[in-house]
Amino acid sequence: MERKVGTISRGIRGPIIREGDNLVDIAVTSVLEAAKSEGYSLRDRDVVALTESIVARAQGNYASVQAIAEDVKAKLGGETIGVIFPILSRNRFAICLKGIAMGAKKVVLMLSYPSDEVGNALLTYDQLDEAGINPYSDVLTLDKYRELFGENKHEFTGVDYVQYYSDIITAAGAEVEVIFANDPRTILKYTDCVMTCDIHTRARTKRLLKAAGAKAVCGMDDILNSSINGSGYNAKYGLLGSNKSTEDQIKLFPRECQDLVEAIQAKLLEETGKHVEVMVYGDGAFKDPQGKIWELADPVVSPAFTSGLIGTPNELKLKYLADNDFKNLSGAELKEAISKSIKEKDSNLVGNMASQGTTPRQLTDLIGSLCDLTSGSGDKGTPIIHIQGYFDNFTD
């Protein structure tokens, strides 16, 4: 019988993960028990994905704000430091800011505007237009910002991040000065020791600062990229991808976990005879049309994945074929013609008009976004995702 269902994404419930737990056994057992309870079987080219949070938890990859402070002080001197382009997030950055401020006597906090890198808005472009402000060139002091725009609370959290971040810095024992600018080199008028907190634009920001004569430049990826007094760390990403654990502790992005995904793949093959792809995922990569927030606050969507997830989709657009190549066909003839085109399609459709409108993104980014939406970020209790049929097409 012809299959009538395409892609299915299931959230798989699992236990609460603690440091030292065997994620290979937990992931495999959870997936197989879910399949048995729901009456389905694994297939070749299924995808099993684990949220980065449980991987980092099993690794015990945590660090204190004191560890952050020590590393910041050692690398940036412990006097006046510029902290530029942070995202506006209680979970992602506030706890890091506490540690950063503990490692300095004064923090010059430079916020990008009208929004941060991932779309959290301080202001709207309409507000800037009405005030006659050019965000590409104008630098605003805190007093000028308040004079022009007053208090601006985040649409979803209700937090005035300007005040919130200022309070965190002063509570940590440092003096604070707040400015608003979008050229990273602006900070050099205030201090030549700079911590740039942007995520996806960090390489350019560092380059510009160093070329402009900064004495010391660190990105968040340069802090806790090695252990401080036994703390957790991430050699590649440092503080990037971290989030709040407690008021004085962060959970870092998981360290090297390629061995983990390959071990899960091997055990599933041993248990089921099926070749399943496996990945670790963090934030999805999509934009919220209401709040304008781009979800990706992690440095990458997937820090580890099996080799079958390398690449991009290679798909034909069915509606293009139906409206163009086979516009005079219908019914069984149309289905047969489209099926034949799919079976005979080139291995690389780049430049082929029949592929226009298909999603030109990495498989791991697409699947990771699906996983993130499936698992959610709250109390669903499904940190493992099982996807079936993702690589199917109209002919399967």
Side-chain angles (χ1 to χ4, degrees):
M1 179 179 176
E2 180 183 9
R3 270 181 32 206
K4 295 297 184 180
V5 177
T7 301
I8 300 170
S9 181
R10 295 182 176 93
I12 306 298
R13 291 184 176 174
I16 304 300
I17 303 300
R18 295 295 189 188
E19 181 177 355
D21 284 351
N22 187 328
L23 280 186
V24 176
D25 288 346
I26 289 171
V28 170
T29 299
S30 298
V31 169
L32 294 182
E33 287 182 349
K36 183 178 180 180
S37 71
E38 296 296 314
Y40 63 88
S41 301
L42 271 70
R43 307 177 193 141
D44 286 324
R45 297 220 77 189
D46 283 3
V47 179
V48 169
L50 287 71
T51 178
E52 59 82 20
S53 178
I54 64 170
V55 179
R57 288 171 65 86
Q59 292 175 343
N61 205 17
Y62 293 85
S64 68
V65 291
Q66 187 59 48
I68 297 173
E70 289 184 27
D71 209 13
V72 168
K73 187 173 183 179
K75 291 173 178 174
L76 291 174
E79 297 294 325
T80 298
I81 65 173
V83 174
I84 72 172
F85 300 159
I87 64 171
L88 307 177
S89 171
R90 295 168 297 175
N91 175 49
R92 289 290 192 171
F93 188 72
I95 191 71
C96 293
L97 180 59
K98 180 178 180 179
I100 294 165
M102 288 168 60
K105 291 182 180 178
K106 178 178 179 179
V107 171
V108 181
L109 179 65
M110 191 173 93
L111 299 172
S112 57
Y113 74 98
S115 67
D116 69 11
E117 179 187 7
V118 297
N120 291 293
L122 285 172
L123 304 165
T124 66
Y125 279 101
D126 288 339
Q127 286 176 289
L128 297 181
D129 292 343
E130 289 171 6
I133 296 297
N134 183 347
Y136 302 104
S137 59
D138 292 343
V139 178
L140 305 178
T141 63
L142 178 59
D143 287 343
K144 189 65 175 178
Y145 170 85
R146 291 298 191 198
E147 175 192 333
L148 292 173
F149 306 112
E151 182 184 72
N152 291 276
K153 293 184 177 181
H154 191 281
E155 178 181 5
F156 293 145
T157 67
V159 173
D160 176 354
Y161 279 96
V162 177
Q163 188 63 52
Y164 179 51
Y165 280 3
S166 297
D167 290 344
I168 287 172
I169 293 167
T170 54
E175 183 184 348
V176 62
E177 181 175 0
V178 181
I179 60 173
F180 303 81
N182 290 311
D183 185 337
R185 294 164 292 194
T186 300
I187 196 65
L188 299 179
K189 297 176 183 178
Y190 300 82
T191 179
D192 57 4
C193 296
V194 185
M195 182 161 176
T196 178
C197 302
D198 46 347
I199 304 163
H200 308 290
T201 56
R202 64 188 183 276
R204 176 178 183 268
T205 302
K206 290 182 191 180
R207 173 173 57 79
L208 290 174
L209 288 168
K210 290 174 182 177
K215 176 182 175 182
V217 179
C218 285
M220 289 184 72
D221 53 332
D222 299 310
I223 303 299
L224 291 190
N225 55 3
S226 61
S227 181
I228 303 297
N229 299 323
S231 74
Y233 67 95
N234 190 302
K236 186 173 184 179
Y237 297 120
L239 288 176
L240 291 176
S242 65
N243 50 41
K244 181 178 180 178
S245 172
T246 70
E247 294 300 327
D248 296 298
Q249 182 174 255
I250 60 168
K251 179 197 67 61
L252 294 154
F253 210 49
R255 295 194 292 271
E256 172 57 48
C257 41
Q258 188 63 34
D259 289 348
L260 171 67
V261 296
E262 292 177 359
I264 293 172
Q265 182 183 57
K267 191 168 180 65
L268 283 170
L269 180 62
E270 177 186 337
E271 294 283 340
T272 67
K274 303 300 181 183
H275 184 87
V276 174
E277 303 299 342
V278 183
M279 65 184 287
V280 175
Y281 69 95
D283 275 347
F286 45 82
K287 188 169 183 176
D288 164 38
Q290 174 63 32
K292 308 299 188 293
I293 300 167
W294 183 36
E295 176 72 5
L296 188 56
D298 286 326
V300 291
V301 172
S302 177
F305 46 88
T306 51
S307 60
L309 297 176
I310 295 172
T312 59
N314 191 60
E315 300 173 347
L316 296 171
K317 196 76 168 180
L318 296 192
K319 66 181 183 182
Y320 180 91
L321 294 175
D323 292 346
N324 291 272
D325 295 33
F326 309 119
K327 60 184 178 182
N328 295 320
L329 300 180
S330 62
E333 284 186 304
L334 176 59
K335 181 178 180 180
E336 183 179 349
I338 287 179
S339 297
K340 185 172 185 291
S341 292
I342 292 172
K343 290 175 181 178
E344 296 176 353
K345 68 183 177 183
D346 294 335
S347 59
N348 186 343
L349 293 170
V350 173
N352 187 322
M353 287 299 288
S355 70
Q356 66 177 328
T358 58
T359 308
R361 290 168 58 189
Q362 296 295 319
L363 289 169
T364 49
D365 294 340
L366 291 164
I367 297 171
S369 297
L370 174 60
C371 291
D372 191 26
L373 289 167
T374 302
S375 62
S377 58
D379 57 8
K380 288 184 172 62
T382 54
I384 302 166
I385 305 300
H386 181 196
I387 297 171
Q388 294 190 296
Y390 189 84
F391 295 102
D392 288 356
N393 62 44
F394 186 62
T395 68
D396 294 317

